[in-house]
Amino acid sequence: MRDTYQNGSPAAAGDGAHHLKSLILGHSIRPRRTVLERAKQRALQHDAPSADAQGVRIDLRTPRWQDLSLALPGSKSRSASVLQKSLARADRDPTIRRAFDKLRTRLRQTAQEHNWTSIGVMGPTSGCGSTFVAVNLALSLSRVPGSRTLLMDMNMRSPALADAFDVAVDGPMADFLSGHTPLGAHLVRTTETLALGLNDEVEENPAEILQDGATARTLERMRAAIRPEIVIHDLPGMLTYDDATAFLPQLDAVLLVSDGTQTLGRELKECERLMQGHVPLLGVMLNRARADSITRYT
């Protein structure tokens, strides 16, 4: 981690600059967490007519990827959100697009090598741009022909993906995770290669929801049913609340987003300490860094 920051603070950033740098770091690889193994065993106890190759039973009536409803942008609001405008600018900027494409390729290779599916994207604190990174990474992944990328809005304190994609939401994420909303009624596809799990309600106690055993069972059944290659989970700041820490057992790896205008070296170190023994740190995405400071991070 010492290569991602200098002297306990990030490099200086200039107003209006928006440069991205990705680093895939070498960290110890842990096997899949025992909480998911327990979730699989509990799922086997439910009556269902079929099971996938990993032993999780799936009702034949459960929608598969191709059965998910197609949601077209424009169904939620008439005016573009701040995040929508930022994403539109990023899509037109070849430098930003190349940065995400490079990260996408390295992420896919690492995930395939270690059989990873669930990736968390978070910053040390709020406002680091984790949603911006999660959305652009998911869009880049979905540009691979024949791929299947699922983007989940797990920031239940400040849900933003529905506004980012301008797609209407059919019920809160909490109801889906608890099992009260069926998979086919909650997840939607925007393209043949990208699906979304959205949220339209702020929760008072999201950490309790994220570490509930029902959440682990729902997510395991979801992956077994629609078989995504990669699931990107957009999460709140790790040091701001305990939500992201509570969700670590459901992740295969974490991508940290460091804001060049506010993130401190000690915050990155603390995030790494909290993840140690739970989930590998896939890398750090440096956001809003001044162009002449990027070399310090390589």
Side-chain angles (χ1 to χ4, degrees):
M1 290 292 295
R2 61 180 179 275
D3 293 333
T4 62
Y5 41 81
Q6 292 206 356
N7 301 322
S9 63
D15 292 338
H18 200 126
H19 296 274
L20 298 159
K21 181 72 175 179
S22 63
L23 303 170
I24 302 300
L25 306 179
H27 283 256
S28 59
I29 306 304
R30 283 172 47 82
R32 200 166 182 78
R33 262 63 57 204
T34 56
V35 65
L36 290 183
E37 297 301 327
R38 292 196 297 270
K40 291 180 183 180
Q41 294 302 318
R42 287 193 293 265
L44 286 169
Q45 298 173 4
H46 291 258
D47 292 333
S50 66
D52 80 331
Q54 296 179 330
V56 180
R57 299 213 172 198
I58 301 300
D59 192 319
L60 290 176
R61 295 166 296 180
T62 301
R64 304 305 192 260
W65 180 274
Q66 63 273 17
D67 301 323
L68 297 178
S69 300
L70 189 64
L72 299 177
S75 58
K76 187 176 187 298
S77 64
R78 294 183 179 180
S79 59
S81 66
V82 173
L83 181 57
Q84 274 183 287
K85 294 175 181 177
S86 178
L87 292 169
R89 289 194 298 270
D91 190 59
R92 293 192 297 267
D93 189 321
T95 302
I96 295 177
R97 187 159 175 155
R98 282 197 303 269
F100 280 107
D101 287 348
K102 289 178 180 178
L103 177 62
R104 166 201 67 193
T105 300
R106 299 173 76 179
L107 172 61
R108 292 187 79 241
Q109 291 170 348
T110 304
Q112 290 168 2
E113 179 183 355
H114 298 293
N115 196 28
W116 289 345
T117 301
S118 299
I119 308 298
V121 178
M122 65 187 79
T125 57
S126 60
C128 289
S130 57
T131 298
F132 177 83
V133 170
V135 171
N136 276 286
L137 178 57
L139 290 172
S140 182
L141 286 164
S142 71
R143 289 195 287 269
V144 177
S147 62
R148 291 181 177 182
T149 300
L150 174 60
L151 176 60
M152 300 287 288
D153 194 342
M154 307 304 279
N155 188 346
M156 287 183 276
R157 296 183 187 272
S158 182
L161 295 186
D163 285 340
F165 286 91
D166 193 15
V167 171
V169 183
D170 190 6
M173 177 65 74
D175 285 355
F176 170 68
L177 296 177
S178 67
H180 294 141
T181 301
L183 183 152
H186 189 81
L187 302 183
V188 296
R189 283 188 300 114
T190 57
T191 67
E192 290 298 317
T193 56
L194 179 63
L196 306 174
L198 303 175
N199 185 28
D200 65 351
E201 188 171 308
V202 175
E203 300 292 338
E204 291 185 3
N205 302 300
E208 285 83 346
I209 297 170
L210 292 175
Q211 59 191 309
D212 190 341
T215 293
R217 293 191 293 271
T218 296
L219 295 176
E220 192 67 22
R221 290 200 186 98
M222 176 192 75
R223 289 188 293 267
I226 67 173
R227 298 181 181 277
E229 283 185 9
I230 292 180
V231 184
I232 302 294
H233 299 274
D234 180 28
L235 289 156
M238 191 173 196
L239 304 182
T240 307
Y241 304 102
D242 64 332
D243 306 5
T245 306
F247 196 67
L248 290 181
Q250 314 306 328
L251 300 174
D252 293 316
V254 167
L255 177 66
L256 269 179
V257 180
S258 174
D259 184 341
T261 68
Q262 69 178 34
T263 302
L264 302 177
R266 63 175 179 268
E267 293 173 333
L268 293 172
K269 286 183 177 179
E270 179 62 11
C271 288
E272 185 177 18
R273 186 189 69 79
L274 292 172
M275 286 185 280
Q276 186 136 19
H278 295 283
V279 63
L281 173 60
L282 179 64
V284 175
M285 182 68 122
L286 177 59
N287 188 31
R288 302 190 186 105
R290 199 174 63 191
D292 60 6
S293 71
I294 287 181
T295 55
R296 300 182 188 182
Y297 290 74
T298 59

